Short mmCIF file of all heavy atoms in Angstrom, two decimals:
data_model
loop_
_atom_site.label_atom_id
_atom_site.label_comp_id
_atom_site.label_asym_id
_atom_site.label_seq_id
_atom_site.Cartn_x
_atom_site.Cartn_y
_atom_site.Cartn_z
N LEU A 1 -19.86 19.42 -27.86
CA LEU A 1 -18.92 19.58 -26.76
C LEU A 1 -19.62 20.23 -25.57
O LEU A 1 -19.46 19.79 -24.43
CB LEU A 1 -17.71 20.40 -27.19
CG LEU A 1 -16.70 20.71 -26.09
CD1 LEU A 1 -16.18 19.44 -25.42
CD2 LEU A 1 -15.56 21.54 -26.65
N LEU A 2 -20.42 21.27 -25.82
CA LEU A 2 -21.14 21.93 -24.73
C LEU A 2 -22.08 20.94 -24.03
O LEU A 2 -22.17 20.93 -22.80
CB LEU A 2 -21.92 23.13 -25.24
CG LEU A 2 -21.09 24.37 -25.54
CD1 LEU A 2 -21.93 25.40 -26.30
CD2 LEU A 2 -20.53 24.97 -24.27
N GLY A 3 -22.76 20.12 -24.79
CA GLY A 3 -23.65 19.12 -24.19
C GLY A 3 -22.88 18.14 -23.33
O GLY A 3 -23.32 17.78 -22.23
N ALA A 4 -21.71 17.72 -23.80
CA ALA A 4 -20.88 16.80 -23.02
C ALA A 4 -20.39 17.47 -21.74
O ALA A 4 -20.37 16.85 -20.67
CB ALA A 4 -19.70 16.31 -23.86
N LEU A 5 -20.01 18.74 -21.82
CA LEU A 5 -19.56 19.47 -20.63
C LEU A 5 -20.69 19.64 -19.63
O LEU A 5 -20.50 19.47 -18.42
CB LEU A 5 -18.98 20.82 -21.03
CG LEU A 5 -17.65 20.78 -21.76
CD1 LEU A 5 -17.30 22.16 -22.34
CD2 LEU A 5 -16.55 20.28 -20.86
N ARG A 6 -21.88 19.97 -20.11
CA ARG A 6 -23.04 20.09 -19.21
C ARG A 6 -23.28 18.77 -18.49
O ARG A 6 -23.52 18.74 -17.28
CB ARG A 6 -24.28 20.49 -20.00
CG ARG A 6 -24.26 21.89 -20.54
CD ARG A 6 -25.55 22.19 -21.32
NE ARG A 6 -25.36 23.29 -22.22
CZ ARG A 6 -25.43 23.21 -23.56
NH1 ARG A 6 -25.73 22.06 -24.15
NH2 ARG A 6 -25.22 24.27 -24.29
N GLY A 7 -23.24 17.68 -19.24
CA GLY A 7 -23.45 16.37 -18.64
C GLY A 7 -22.37 16.01 -17.63
O GLY A 7 -22.66 15.48 -16.56
N ALA A 8 -21.13 16.32 -17.95
CA ALA A 8 -20.02 16.00 -17.04
C ALA A 8 -20.15 16.79 -15.74
O ALA A 8 -19.94 16.25 -14.65
CB ALA A 8 -18.68 16.30 -17.72
N LEU A 9 -20.49 18.07 -15.84
CA LEU A 9 -20.60 18.89 -14.63
C LEU A 9 -21.76 18.45 -13.74
O LEU A 9 -21.75 18.71 -12.54
CB LEU A 9 -20.72 20.37 -15.00
CG LEU A 9 -19.44 20.97 -15.56
CD1 LEU A 9 -19.70 22.35 -16.14
CD2 LEU A 9 -18.36 21.04 -14.49
N GLY A 10 -22.75 17.79 -14.30
CA GLY A 10 -23.87 17.28 -13.52
C GLY A 10 -23.74 15.81 -13.17
O GLY A 10 -24.66 15.22 -12.61
N ASP A 11 -22.59 15.21 -13.46
CA ASP A 11 -22.41 13.78 -13.23
C ASP A 11 -22.34 13.46 -11.74
O ASP A 11 -21.57 14.04 -11.00
CB ASP A 11 -21.12 13.31 -13.91
CG ASP A 11 -20.96 11.81 -13.81
OD1 ASP A 11 -21.70 11.10 -14.50
OD2 ASP A 11 -20.09 11.36 -13.04
N ARG A 12 -23.17 12.51 -11.31
CA ARG A 12 -23.22 12.12 -9.90
C ARG A 12 -22.72 10.69 -9.67
O ARG A 12 -22.88 10.14 -8.59
CB ARG A 12 -24.65 12.24 -9.38
CG ARG A 12 -25.16 13.66 -9.47
CD ARG A 12 -26.01 14.17 -8.37
NE ARG A 12 -26.57 13.25 -7.44
CZ ARG A 12 -26.03 12.93 -6.26
NH1 ARG A 12 -24.89 13.42 -5.89
NH2 ARG A 12 -26.64 12.09 -5.46
N ASP A 13 -22.13 10.09 -10.68
CA ASP A 13 -21.61 8.73 -10.52
C ASP A 13 -20.56 8.69 -9.42
O ASP A 13 -19.74 9.61 -9.29
CB ASP A 13 -21.00 8.22 -11.82
CG ASP A 13 -22.05 7.87 -12.86
OD1 ASP A 13 -23.25 7.79 -12.50
OD2 ASP A 13 -21.68 7.70 -14.03
N LEU A 14 -20.61 7.63 -8.64
CA LEU A 14 -19.67 7.46 -7.53
C LEU A 14 -18.60 6.45 -7.89
O LEU A 14 -18.87 5.46 -8.57
CB LEU A 14 -20.40 6.98 -6.28
CG LEU A 14 -21.56 7.86 -5.80
CD1 LEU A 14 -22.21 7.25 -4.57
CD2 LEU A 14 -21.08 9.27 -5.50
N ALA A 15 -17.41 6.69 -7.42
CA ALA A 15 -16.31 5.73 -7.61
C ALA A 15 -16.60 4.49 -6.78
O ALA A 15 -17.25 4.56 -5.73
CB ALA A 15 -14.99 6.36 -7.16
N ALA A 16 -16.12 3.38 -7.24
CA ALA A 16 -16.23 2.15 -6.44
C ALA A 16 -15.44 2.35 -5.15
O ALA A 16 -14.39 2.99 -5.14
CB ALA A 16 -15.67 0.97 -7.23
N ALA A 17 -15.97 1.82 -4.07
CA ALA A 17 -15.31 1.99 -2.76
C ALA A 17 -13.87 1.52 -2.78
O ALA A 17 -12.99 2.15 -2.19
CB ALA A 17 -16.11 1.26 -1.68
N ASP A 18 -13.60 0.44 -3.50
CA ASP A 18 -12.23 -0.08 -3.53
C ASP A 18 -11.31 0.71 -4.47
O ASP A 18 -10.11 0.47 -4.53
CB ASP A 18 -12.21 -1.56 -3.88
CG ASP A 18 -12.79 -1.86 -5.26
OD1 ASP A 18 -13.31 -0.93 -5.92
OD2 ASP A 18 -12.73 -3.02 -5.67
N ALA A 19 -11.85 1.70 -5.20
CA ALA A 19 -11.03 2.53 -6.09
C ALA A 19 -10.48 3.76 -5.38
O ALA A 19 -9.60 4.43 -5.90
CB ALA A 19 -11.85 2.95 -7.30
N LEU A 20 -10.99 4.05 -4.19
CA LEU A 20 -10.53 5.22 -3.46
C LEU A 20 -9.25 4.90 -2.69
O LEU A 20 -9.10 3.80 -2.17
CB LEU A 20 -11.60 5.68 -2.46
CG LEU A 20 -12.93 6.12 -3.06
CD1 LEU A 20 -13.90 6.48 -1.94
CD2 LEU A 20 -12.76 7.26 -4.02
N PRO A 21 -8.35 5.87 -2.60
CA PRO A 21 -7.15 5.63 -1.80
C PRO A 21 -7.53 5.47 -0.33
O PRO A 21 -8.56 5.98 0.11
CB PRO A 21 -6.30 6.88 -2.03
CG PRO A 21 -7.24 7.91 -2.55
CD PRO A 21 -8.38 7.19 -3.20
N ALA A 22 -6.69 4.82 0.42
CA ALA A 22 -6.94 4.63 1.85
C ALA A 22 -6.96 5.99 2.55
O ALA A 22 -6.21 6.90 2.19
CB ALA A 22 -5.87 3.74 2.46
N GLN A 23 -7.83 6.10 3.54
CA GLN A 23 -7.87 7.32 4.33
C GLN A 23 -6.67 7.36 5.28
O GLN A 23 -6.21 6.32 5.74
CB GLN A 23 -9.14 7.38 5.18
CG GLN A 23 -10.39 7.63 4.39
CD GLN A 23 -11.52 8.08 5.28
OE1 GLN A 23 -11.46 9.17 5.82
NE2 GLN A 23 -12.54 7.25 5.42
N PRO A 24 -6.19 8.56 5.59
CA PRO A 24 -5.11 8.65 6.56
C PRO A 24 -5.59 8.19 7.94
O PRO A 24 -6.78 8.30 8.25
CB PRO A 24 -4.74 10.13 6.58
CG PRO A 24 -5.69 10.83 5.70
CD PRO A 24 -6.58 9.83 5.05
N GLU A 25 -4.70 7.72 8.74
CA GLU A 25 -5.05 7.28 10.08
C GLU A 25 -5.68 8.45 10.84
O GLU A 25 -5.21 9.58 10.77
CB GLU A 25 -3.81 6.80 10.82
CG GLU A 25 -4.14 6.12 12.13
CD GLU A 25 -2.91 5.48 12.75
OE1 GLU A 25 -2.07 4.97 12.00
OE2 GLU A 25 -2.83 5.51 13.98
N GLY A 26 -6.77 8.17 11.53
CA GLY A 26 -7.47 9.19 12.31
C GLY A 26 -8.46 10.02 11.50
O GLY A 26 -9.06 10.95 12.04
N ALA A 27 -8.64 9.73 10.21
CA ALA A 27 -9.60 10.48 9.39
C ALA A 27 -11.01 10.32 9.96
O ALA A 27 -11.37 9.25 10.45
CB ALA A 27 -9.55 9.99 7.95
N LEU A 28 -11.79 11.38 9.87
CA LEU A 28 -13.11 11.37 10.49
C LEU A 28 -14.26 11.21 9.51
O LEU A 28 -15.41 11.12 9.92
CB LEU A 28 -13.30 12.67 11.29
CG LEU A 28 -12.28 12.90 12.41
CD1 LEU A 28 -12.51 14.26 13.05
CD2 LEU A 28 -12.36 11.79 13.44
N LEU A 29 -13.99 11.22 8.22
CA LEU A 29 -15.07 11.12 7.24
C LEU A 29 -15.62 9.70 7.18
O LEU A 29 -14.86 8.75 6.97
CB LEU A 29 -14.58 11.49 5.84
CG LEU A 29 -14.46 12.96 5.51
CD1 LEU A 29 -13.93 13.11 4.08
CD2 LEU A 29 -15.76 13.69 5.66
N PRO A 30 -16.94 9.54 7.32
CA PRO A 30 -17.52 8.22 7.11
C PRO A 30 -17.28 7.79 5.66
O PRO A 30 -17.26 8.62 4.74
CB PRO A 30 -19.01 8.43 7.38
CG PRO A 30 -19.11 9.71 8.12
CD PRO A 30 -17.92 10.53 7.72
N GLU A 31 -17.12 6.52 5.45
CA GLU A 31 -16.79 6.00 4.11
C GLU A 31 -17.85 6.38 3.08
O GLU A 31 -17.53 6.73 1.94
CB GLU A 31 -16.61 4.48 4.19
CG GLU A 31 -15.75 3.91 3.11
CD GLU A 31 -14.36 4.53 2.99
OE1 GLU A 31 -13.74 4.90 3.99
OE2 GLU A 31 -13.88 4.62 1.85
N ALA A 32 -19.13 6.33 3.43
CA ALA A 32 -20.19 6.67 2.48
C ALA A 32 -20.09 8.14 2.05
O ALA A 32 -20.26 8.46 0.87
CB ALA A 32 -21.56 6.39 3.09
N LEU A 33 -19.81 9.03 2.98
CA LEU A 33 -19.67 10.44 2.64
C LEU A 33 -18.43 10.66 1.79
O LEU A 33 -18.45 11.42 0.82
CB LEU A 33 -19.59 11.30 3.91
CG LEU A 33 -19.34 12.79 3.69
CD1 LEU A 33 -20.44 13.40 2.82
CD2 LEU A 33 -19.23 13.51 5.01
N ARG A 34 -17.36 9.99 2.12
CA ARG A 34 -16.13 10.11 1.33
C ARG A 34 -16.37 9.71 -0.11
O ARG A 34 -15.88 10.36 -1.05
CB ARG A 34 -15.04 9.24 1.96
CG ARG A 34 -13.66 9.52 1.43
CD ARG A 34 -12.62 8.89 2.30
NE ARG A 34 -12.40 7.50 1.97
CZ ARG A 34 -11.37 7.08 1.24
NH1 ARG A 34 -10.49 7.92 0.78
NH2 ARG A 34 -11.22 5.80 0.99
N ARG A 35 -17.16 8.68 -0.33
CA ARG A 35 -17.50 8.27 -1.71
C ARG A 35 -18.33 9.34 -2.39
O ARG A 35 -18.11 9.67 -3.56
CB ARG A 35 -18.29 6.96 -1.69
CG ARG A 35 -17.43 5.75 -1.88
CD ARG A 35 -18.22 4.49 -2.06
NE ARG A 35 -18.56 4.32 -3.45
CZ ARG A 35 -19.71 3.81 -3.88
NH1 ARG A 35 -20.63 3.43 -3.05
NH2 ARG A 35 -19.93 3.67 -5.17
N GLU A 36 -19.32 9.90 -1.69
CA GLU A 36 -20.17 10.95 -2.27
C GLU A 36 -19.34 12.16 -2.72
O GLU A 36 -19.63 12.78 -3.73
CB GLU A 36 -21.21 11.42 -1.25
CG GLU A 36 -22.34 10.46 -1.03
CD GLU A 36 -23.34 10.45 -2.16
OE1 GLU A 36 -23.43 11.42 -2.95
OE2 GLU A 36 -24.06 9.44 -2.26
N LEU A 37 -18.32 12.48 -1.97
CA LEU A 37 -17.49 13.66 -2.27
C LEU A 37 -16.61 13.46 -3.50
O LEU A 37 -15.99 14.42 -3.97
CB LEU A 37 -16.64 14.03 -1.06
CG LEU A 37 -17.43 14.49 0.18
CD1 LEU A 37 -16.48 14.74 1.33
CD2 LEU A 37 -18.28 15.70 -0.12
N GLN A 38 -16.55 12.25 -4.03
CA GLN A 38 -15.75 11.97 -5.23
C GLN A 38 -16.50 12.28 -6.52
O GLN A 38 -15.91 12.34 -7.59
CB GLN A 38 -15.28 10.51 -5.24
CG GLN A 38 -14.44 10.12 -4.05
CD GLN A 38 -13.21 10.98 -3.89
OE1 GLN A 38 -12.45 11.17 -4.81
NE2 GLN A 38 -13.02 11.51 -2.70
N ALA A 39 -17.81 12.47 -6.45
CA ALA A 39 -18.60 12.77 -7.65
C ALA A 39 -18.25 14.18 -8.15
O ALA A 39 -17.85 15.05 -7.37
CB ALA A 39 -20.09 12.67 -7.34
N LEU A 40 -18.42 14.42 -9.44
CA LEU A 40 -18.22 15.77 -9.96
C LEU A 40 -19.30 16.70 -9.43
O LEU A 40 -19.04 17.85 -9.11
CB LEU A 40 -18.23 15.77 -11.48
CG LEU A 40 -16.97 15.18 -12.11
CD1 LEU A 40 -17.13 15.08 -13.62
CD2 LEU A 40 -15.76 16.01 -11.77
N CYS A 41 -20.53 16.21 -9.37
CA CYS A 41 -21.64 16.99 -8.82
C CYS A 41 -22.01 16.34 -7.48
O CYS A 41 -22.55 15.25 -7.44
CB CYS A 41 -22.83 16.98 -9.77
SG CYS A 41 -24.22 17.98 -9.20
N VAL A 42 -21.69 17.03 -6.41
CA VAL A 42 -21.86 16.48 -5.06
C VAL A 42 -23.22 16.88 -4.51
O VAL A 42 -23.62 18.05 -4.59
CB VAL A 42 -20.74 17.00 -4.12
CG1 VAL A 42 -20.96 16.53 -2.69
CG2 VAL A 42 -19.38 16.57 -4.64
#
């Protein structure tokens, strides 16, 4: 379990772009950065 938790906390996998909810109108985050911020380890 500890090994799995260590791995999860270091996980850098990104969500597919089409899996993210739509940004609110006027949002300023570039799409690539928004995807990066979805990883557990940013």
Side-chain angles (χ1 to χ4, degrees):
L1 176 56
L2 284 169
L5 290 169
R6 291 180 201 116
L9 289 169
D11 186 72
R12 299 218 345 95
D13 287 347
L14 303 179
D18 62 354
L20 299 178
Q23 288 197 68
E25 189 172 324
L28 301 175
L29 281 179
E31 204 55 35
L33 176 58
R34 193 166 84 101
R35 266 188 86 216
E36 285 284 339
L37 296 177
Q38 301 303 309
L40 287 174
C41 183
V42 176

